[in-house]
Amino acid sequence: MLIFIFSGTVVLLGLGGLCLLAGLTVLILRRALRSNTPEGKRPKNAAFRFTTPLHGLSLCLAIAASIITINFTEFQPQEVLAGYTIEPDLEINEVIPPTNHPPPPPPPPPPPPVIETVAEPESEPETFESQDISADEPILRDLAPPTPVAPAAPPPPPPLPPPPPPVDEGPLLFAERMPVFGEECFPLSGDERKACSDRALLSFVQSRVRYPALARENGIQGTVVISFIVEKDGTITDVSPAREVGAGCTESAIKAVLAINNEGKRFRPGIQGGRPVRVRFNLPVKFMLE
């Protein structure tokens, strides 16, 4: 295959000439078809007569365009590095003989120690004293065993600190053992003791309630709730109404509850942690007309 070298300008001019040649060929064929086409026949159908020449022309144009395009290359001379030669790798097996170094000389022996003589100090001669005991010499040493001495008594322990002052605790609403009213209920236990105490307290208060005449005349009924505290000695304090009913009913209920202290009745106090405590009670007193 021949190799032609064209510049860029030559390639552009060649491709432009091929395009111009193809366009002129199309125009010539169109004019020829119009002039040679008989009447009553379409020029489009008559163009099939030029199929073979057109195919040949198209092939020639394609080959010419390919040759021009392929040869649009400028080859540059190969660069050669002057004075540089690449040699193949050589394996050099060089045997290095061992070098025998003489051992280092031994260190010199240390110098012998110098012994200095020390002069002995002059000491005075000791006088010998005889420790012999003659038979006539009295024995002054007491050979009896010493009398044992009793050890000194330990100091007495310091006195115990005084007990802390009692703390005034507020009244409890519930205790491990609630206060009990009525001597007949003291020996009982559990729920039976509580039921007996409630029954005795209500019976005592209701028996001392006086229905006020004003409330009776006006048909006033209701339940007064009296709140009080059972102290550690069994007496009651802080008697006050928690719910009131008018027309003198509240005052009559308070007088009936205060009759517990006035008549010398006592609760057995509540117990919490093994010691008596203050407990608050809420006692309902009913006023009902028959």
Side-chain angles (χ1 to χ4, degrees), residues 84-257:
Y84 183 80
T85 305
I86 299 177
E87 297 181 357
D89 296 337
L90 298 178
E91 294 183 0
I92 300 175
N93 296 326
E94 183 178 357
V95 179
I96 300 175
T99 303
N100 296 325
H101 298 282
V114 179
I115 301 175
E116 298 180 358
T117 59
V118 179
E120 296 182 359
E122 297 180 358
S123 58
E124 297 179 357
E126 297 181 358
T127 303
F128 179 75
E129 295 181 0
S130 177
Q131 301 292 334
D132 296 340
I133 300 174
S134 62
D136 299 334
E137 185 177 355
I139 298 175
L140 303 177
R141 182 177 299 174
D142 189 4
L143 300 180
T147 304
V149 180
L160 297 176
V167 180
D168 186 14
E169 300 177 352
L172 303 178
L173 295 179
F174 297 96
E176 294 177 359
R177 294 181 59 183
M178 294 295 288
V180 181
F181 184 81
E183 296 180 358
E184 68 276 8
C185 303
F186 292 166
L188 302 178
S189 61
D191 295 339
E192 186 179 0
R193 178 178 57 190
K194 181 179 182 303
C196 179
S197 175
D198 295 343
R199 186 170 53 251
L201 179 60
L202 288 174
S203 177
F204 177 86
V205 174
Q206 289 290 351
S207 64
R208 284 150 180 81
V209 171
R210 298 293 178 263
Y211 211 115
L214 181 60
R216 186 183 300 274
E217 293 173 0
N218 292 278
I220 296 176
Q221 304 181 90
T223 301
V224 179
V225 179
I226 303 299
S227 176
F228 59 91
I229 298 174
V230 178
E231 298 292 340
K232 299 178 182 179
D233 58 354
T235 60
I236 62 173
T237 59
D238 193 19
V239 181
S240 60
R243 188 171 64 184
E244 300 182 8
V245 176
C249 294
T250 302
E251 291 75 9
S252 178
I254 292 176
K255 291 179 181 179
V257 173

Side-chain angles (χ1 to χ4, degrees), residues 2-90:
L2 296 178
I3 299 176
F4 302 95
I5 299 174
F6 302 108
S7 63
T9 305
V10 175
V11 171
L12 292 176
L13 292 176
L15 293 177
L18 290 176
C19 293
L20 183 60
L21 178 60
L24 291 175
T25 303
V26 172
L27 291 176
I28 293 171
L29 288 177
R30 291 182 65 182
R31 288 182 178 275
L33 288 175
R34 289 179 180 178
S35 59
N36 297 330
T37 300
E39 295 181 358
K41 191 174 182 181
R42 299 179 61 183
K44 182 178 180 181
N45 297 330
F48 287 103
R49 292 181 302 168
F50 300 97
T51 301
T52 301
L54 287 175
H55 287 175
L57 179 61
S58 301
L59 180 60
C60 292
L61 293 176
I63 292 173
S66 300
I67 292 173
I68 293 173
T69 306
I70 291 172
N71 289 277
F72 175 44
T73 305
E74 294 183 1
F75 296 95
Q76 296 181 358
Q78 185 176 5
E79 295 182 1
V80 179
L81 298 177
Y84 183 80
T85 305
I86 299 177
E87 297 181 357
D89 296 337
L90 298 178

